Amino acid sequence: FIQYGGRDVSLSLFHALGKILYNKRIQPSDPSQINSSDETFRLPTQVNPDSILDHVYVKPDRFNEFLQENYIYFYSDLNDITAALEVLSDTDYLESRWEDSDVMSGYAGSIGCRGL
């Protein structure tokens, strides 16, 4: 993962986890654009979750295991914890139930990163 100019663009596992779990969001220039009536509305992220998975040296299913281990420390509301756990349960199902686990592991990794 060396880009032009010789800079290593790979991410350490914990750096990648931080990018997902701290998840900085793009603030709109006009605050009235925020839809406060929708409970599931979230501002867009500053990072592309798929890009993070491409630059970390673990498989997506292993990365999801680390997310499952650490997500609880980043949520204080029970509804948010429940929603995160539902996403992580879905990723676990995708990783374990499909014959072509390599393909599904990539999808599950993307869902896990985007869902948190």
Side-chain angles (χ1 to χ4, degrees):
F1 296 117
I2 305 242
Q3 275 188 338
Y4 298 107
R7 183 168 182 249
D8 185 4
V9 294
S10 64
L11 296 173
S12 74
L13 175 62
F14 296 108
H15 187 192
L17 283 171
K19 284 190 170 285
I20 297 298
L21 293 172
Y22 285 103
N23 203 359
K24 294 180 182 174
R25 304 260 176 199
I26 299 171
Q27 298 298 320
S29 57
D30 181 11
S32 66
Q33 295 175 339
I34 298 174
N35 185 359
S36 61
S37 64
D38 184 5
E39 291 180 11
T40 60
F41 176 77
R42 295 191 297 176
L43 295 170
T45 64
Q46 289 182 358
V47 296
N48 179 353
D50 294 327
S51 174
I52 291 172
L53 286 173
D54 289 342
H55 292 99
V56 70
Y57 285 119
V58 295
K59 291 184 177 181
D61 57 339
R62 187 76 172 138
F63 189 74
N64 278 342
E65 291 172 3
F66 280 96
L67 285 175
Q68 288 176 354
E69 183 70 28
N70 293 288
Y71 83 96
I72 194 75
Y73 304 110
F74 293 83
Y75 294 95
S76 58
D77 181 60
L78 187 58
N79 291 330
D80 292 339
I81 292 170
T82 303
L85 191 55
E86 286 177 2
V87 167
L88 294 171
S89 293
D90 291 343
T91 64
D92 191 44
Y93 177 78
L94 286 173
E95 291 167 350
S96 65
R97 300 288 296 172
W98 296 91
E99 294 174 5
D100 194 5
S101 62
D102 288 337
V103 172
M104 296 314 292
S105 176
Y107 288 127
S110 181
I111 290 169
C113 289
R114 291 175 188 280
L116 297 182

